[in-house]
Amino acid sequence: MTSCDRDRIYAFVEDPLTSSPDIEIHLEECASCMELYGSLQELTLALSDPEAWSNEEPQLHDAIPTPSLDRLVGTSIRLREEGERGAALVARMAAEPLPQWHRTLRELAGVCTVGLARALLGEARSRIFTTPTEAVQIADLAIEVTENLDPNDYEAGVVHQARGLAWKDRANALRFTGQVQDALWSLDEAARQFSRQPVPDFDLATVDYVRATVLAETDHLEQAVNSARRASEVFMDYGDIRRQNHSLLAEANALGAMGRKREARETYMALLKPTQQMGDSVTLAMLFLNIANCSVDLEDGDTASIYFLQASALCDEMGLQTEAIRARWGLGRLLLSQGKCEEAVERLRRAERDYREKGMAGEAAIISLEMIEALAVLERFEEVQLRCRELIDRFTREGVSRRAIAALAFLREAAEARKATPVIVQHVRKYMERLPKDPELLFLPPPV
């Protein structure tokens, strides 16, 4: 028997004679279980009193306060008040340029609280689908706030939970900017902070969930599946159906990245109805997108078209800007797969520009290569050369890997020789997609 086997303790309180004798031995050895047993006994005795079932209003002044309850109530009130003050301050700062926020906080003595950190993280989450680079910066500010807190000023675990939340939200925002390795490092730090709480399992499950979403964008896909499943089991135990569904979604994403597109699409489809019933429009938009993208890869154009259009409409309605761009990107991919290259170029051009404006250079580069593929099909080799030069210049300015630049230079030379076939473009694009996951990967020309 473990110290958290509550069902056996409940059974022992209800009927001590039918319980196994080893539970009494365990209670003598385990202080936490003995405390739970005592509390349950007191509750049972209270409920056996007929006055407990009277219709009269309870006499609150007769309640016997306990130090633990007083501390719990006091902490709850304090965090609520801190949160209200923090939200008001963040609302005022929202009118200022983001670089000014740090200076504003430094000028306000004693402003660092758990409530302020939570308010900052709320603001970061509100920007993750619109301006993810700003979400990262605000999460960094929340981390700085929590690092200035003394854990002894709060109840056990409160400050460490706030620090863990800040690092976890930073990782989630980094995922949207394509900074995978930094996101994984942030998740390690979040797990270290959460582990210092008295009961960390739920918060650690949220780390597993985000880790699964990040790992799905690397070559560690089996680990992504395992992380998603661990998170799903914990959320199911806690009865958190919404987070459980999100974990199933993350698992399906990893399966899709492994090439198991049909299996992934079946999972997405199964999640549609419960997600709609819960009114979770953000997750519903993601499901539409993922079903559509899987359908493109499965050469099911009709299904892809239907779900892309639904995703685009819902993303626009919800203000999910980065996901709306992903829907436009997906429609461009669909048109390219159907051989409608002129229309594909226009769709992809708009999505590439929008991603660049949001600072999401990795996604923009991949879209550029898909646009180049369409141009190669159309034999518009001068435009292929131009796009390659633009990418090389941009990558050089931004200090992107020389290996990526070498791959683009190869493609540009093929275009100059009017030999930039769609097969060659696809070879370069797949290499560029793998390079962030394996930075030491050498570029080799495709076999002749």
Side-chain angles (χ1 to χ4, degrees), residues 77-104:
I77 293 172
R78 176 184 178 182
L79 291 177
R80 186 183 70 242
E81 292 175 346
E82 286 181 0
E84 291 171 353
R85 290 194 296 270
L89 177 56
V90 170
R92 290 201 304 272
M93 291 194 301
E96 305 172 354
L98 195 52
Q100 176 69 26
W101 290 27
H102 187 275
R103 191 180 312 155
T104 299

Side-chain angles (χ1 to χ4, degrees), residues 296-328:
V296 172
D297 295 325
L298 293 169
E299 299 182 354
D300 183 358
D302 291 341
T303 301
S305 179
I306 291 169
Y307 280 98
F308 273 134
L309 291 172
Q310 289 189 77
S312 181
L314 186 55
C315 288
D316 287 336
E317 179 185 336
M318 297 293 297
L320 306 176
Q321 296 179 19
T322 56
E323 300 306 291
I325 299 170
R326 194 154 74 94
R328 291 196 289 275

Side-chain angles (χ1 to χ4, degrees), residues 379-414:
E379 297 186 349
R380 288 157 58 174
F381 296 112
E382 290 79 7
E383 290 183 64
V384 172
Q385 294 177 53
L386 176 62
R387 301 295 301 184
C388 287
R389 281 197 297 270
E390 289 176 349
L391 278 174
I392 290 171
D393 291 344
R394 191 179 307 141
F395 282 7
T396 302
R397 288 194 307 270
E398 295 171 355
V400 174
S401 167
R402 292 182 180 179
R403 289 180 169 83
I405 294 173
L408 288 170
F410 169 81
L411 181 56
R412 183 194 61 197
E413 291 168 6

